[in-house]
C-alpha cells in the first residue's frame, strides 16, 4: 500500500466515524420517543388508579409498577449518557489549512525549484493524514462508548416494557380503574315545587239532582191529558 492508498484509507476511516456519529444521534431518537410513550402510559394508570382498593391485584400492580419505573429510569439514564457529553475531534477549518499551506511555501521558498513543490505537497499531505488518524482514533473510541450505552438503553427498555405490560394487566383485569367504581348519585333540591291537585272536600259531595219530568206531548185531535197529582212534599 503506497502513500496515496494509505491516505485514502485514513480519510475513509475519518469520515466513517463522522457518519457513525450522525447515525447514533438519529438512532437515539427512537428509544427516546418510546420512553416518553411508556411514561405516558404509566402516568395514565397512576392518575386513574383506584387507591381505595386493597387486594392481591393492587399489591401485584404496585410491585410491577415499581420495578418498571426503576427500569425506565435506568434506561433513560443510559439514553442520556449515550446522547450528550462527548467531544468529537475534527480537522481544522479551511482557512487554517490555507494559512498552513502558505507557511509551507514560505518555509521551503529557499529550496530548489525541483524539490520545492514535492516538499510543500508532502508536508501538507502528511499533516492532513496525521489529523485524519488522530481524529478517527478519538472518534472511534467515543462511538464505541456511545454504542455500548445505547445497547443498555434498549436492553433495560425491553425489560421495562415487559413489566409495564404486567402492570397494565393487573390494572385492567383487577378493575383498578376508579372510573369503573359505582358512586351514589347526590341529588340537591334547590326549591320545593308545590303539588297542585284536587282539593279534598270537608263533607261528602252532594247527590246529583233528580231526573227531569217527562216531556209532555200534545196533539190537537186528542183530549188534553190531565195534569199529574202533586207530590205530598211539593208546594
Amino acid at each position: 500500500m503506497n502513500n496515496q492508498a494509505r491516505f485514502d484509507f485514513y480519510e475513509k476511516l475519518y469520515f466513517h466515524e463522522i457518519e457513525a456519529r450522525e447515525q447514533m444521534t438519529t438512532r437515539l431518537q427512537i428509544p427516546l420517543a418510546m420512553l416518553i410513550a411508556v411514561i405516558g402510559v404509566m402516568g395514565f394508570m397512576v392518575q386513574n388508579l383506584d387507591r381505595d382498593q386493597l387486594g392481591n391485584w393492587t399489591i401485584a400492580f404496585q410491585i410491577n409498577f415499581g420495578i418498571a419505573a426503576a427500569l425506565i429510569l435506568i434506561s433513560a439514564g443510559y439514553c442520556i449518557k449515550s446522547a450528550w457529553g462527548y467531544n468529537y475531534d475534527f480537522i481544522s477549518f479551511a482557512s487554517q489549512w490555507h494559512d498552513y499551506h502558505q507557511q509551507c511555501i514560505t518555509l521551503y521558498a529557499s529550496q530548489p525549484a525541483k524539490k520545492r513543490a514535492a516538499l510543500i505537497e508532502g508536508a501538507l499531505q502528511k499533516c492532513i493524514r496525521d489529523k485524519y488518524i488522530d481524529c478517527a482514533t478519538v472518534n472511534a473510541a467515543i462511538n464505541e462508548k456511545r454504542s455500548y450505552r445505547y445497547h443498555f438503553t434498549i436492553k433495560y427498555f425491553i425489560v421495562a416494557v415487559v413489566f409495564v405490560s404486567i402492570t397494565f394487566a393487573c390494572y385492567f383485569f383487577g378493575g383498578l380503574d376508579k372510573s369503573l367504581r359505582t358512586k351514589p348519585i347526590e341529588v340537591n333540591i334547590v326549591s320545593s315545587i308545590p303539588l297542585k291537585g284536587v282539593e279534598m272536600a270537608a263533607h261528602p259531595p252532594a247527590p246529583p239532582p233528580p231526573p227531569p219530568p217527562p216531556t209532555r206531548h200534545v196533539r190537537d185531535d186528542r183530549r188534553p191529558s190531565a195534569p199529574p197529582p202533586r207530590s205530598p212534599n211539593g208546594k
Side-chain angles (χ1 to χ4, degrees):
M1 184 181 291
N2 55 21
N3 292 332
Q4 185 61 39
R6 287 197 300 270
F7 181 86
D8 295 339
F9 175 71
Y10 295 137
E11 182 182 16
K12 290 180 181 179
L13 288 179
Y14 171 78
F15 285 105
H16 170 74
E17 298 302 331
I18 298 300
E19 292 178 358
R21 171 180 176 268
E22 300 299 329
Q23 292 175 359
M24 178 60 64
T25 303
T26 304
R27 289 167 60 188
L28 284 171
Q29 297 178 4
I30 300 175
L32 180 61
M34 292 189 297
L35 283 170
I36 294 174
V38 172
I39 292 174
V41 173
M42 297 176 68
F44 170 80
M45 290 189 291
V46 171
Q47 183 179 3
N48 295 277
L49 179 64
D50 187 1
R51 295 174 176 81
D52 296 332
Q53 293 193 27
L54 297 175
N56 295 331
W57 285 111
T58 304
I59 297 174
F61 174 86
Q62 293 175 351
I63 293 174
N64 288 280
F65 186 89
I67 297 174
L71 292 172
I72 287 295
L73 290 177
I74 296 174
S75 178
Y78 276 110
C79 182
I80 293 173
K81 289 181 180 179
S82 60
W84 290 283
Y86 299 98
N87 295 320
Y88 282 83
D89 289 348
F90 295 88
I91 61 175
S92 303
F93 295 102
S95 60
Q96 294 176 320
W97 286 111
H98 177 73
D99 295 340
Y100 181 80
H101 182 258
Q102 295 299 323
Q103 293 174 4
C104 291
I105 293 175
T106 304
L107 179 64
Y108 297 112
S110 59
Q111 297 296 323
K114 294 181 180 180
K115 297 182 179 180
R116 188 184 309 162
L119 290 173
I120 295 173
E121 182 180 358
L124 182 62
Q125 188 175 20
K126 180 180 181 301
C127 185
I128 295 175
R129 183 189 63 193
D130 292 341
K131 287 293 182 179
Y132 280 154
I133 294 173
D134 295 339
C135 293
T137 302
V138 173
N139 295 341
I142 294 176
N143 288 330
E144 183 178 359
K145 184 183 296 184
R146 294 182 69 185
S147 299
Y148 175 78
R149 293 175 175 176
Y150 178 81
H151 167 74
F152 278 98
T153 300
I154 300 299
K155 176 182 176 179
Y156 282 104
F157 176 77
I158 293 175
V159 180
V161 169
V162 174
F163 282 95
V164 170
S165 301
I166 298 174
T167 303
F168 184 78
C170 297
Y171 175 83
F172 181 79
F173 293 106
L176 301 181
D177 190 350
K178 64 181 179 180
S179 63
L180 300 177
R181 184 174 59 178
T182 304
K183 297 181 180 180
I185 300 175
E186 182 180 359
V187 179
N188 295 324
I189 300 177
V190 178
S191 61
S192 60
I193 301 175
L195 300 177
K196 297 182 179 180
V198 180
E199 297 181 358
M200 298 296 294
H203 301 283
T215 302
R216 188 166 61 92
H217 302 283
V218 179
R219 291 183 61 175
D220 294 339
D221 59 348
R222 291 188 181 183
R223 180 185 290 185
S225 59
R230 301 182 61 182
S231 61
N233 296 328
K235 295 183 181 180

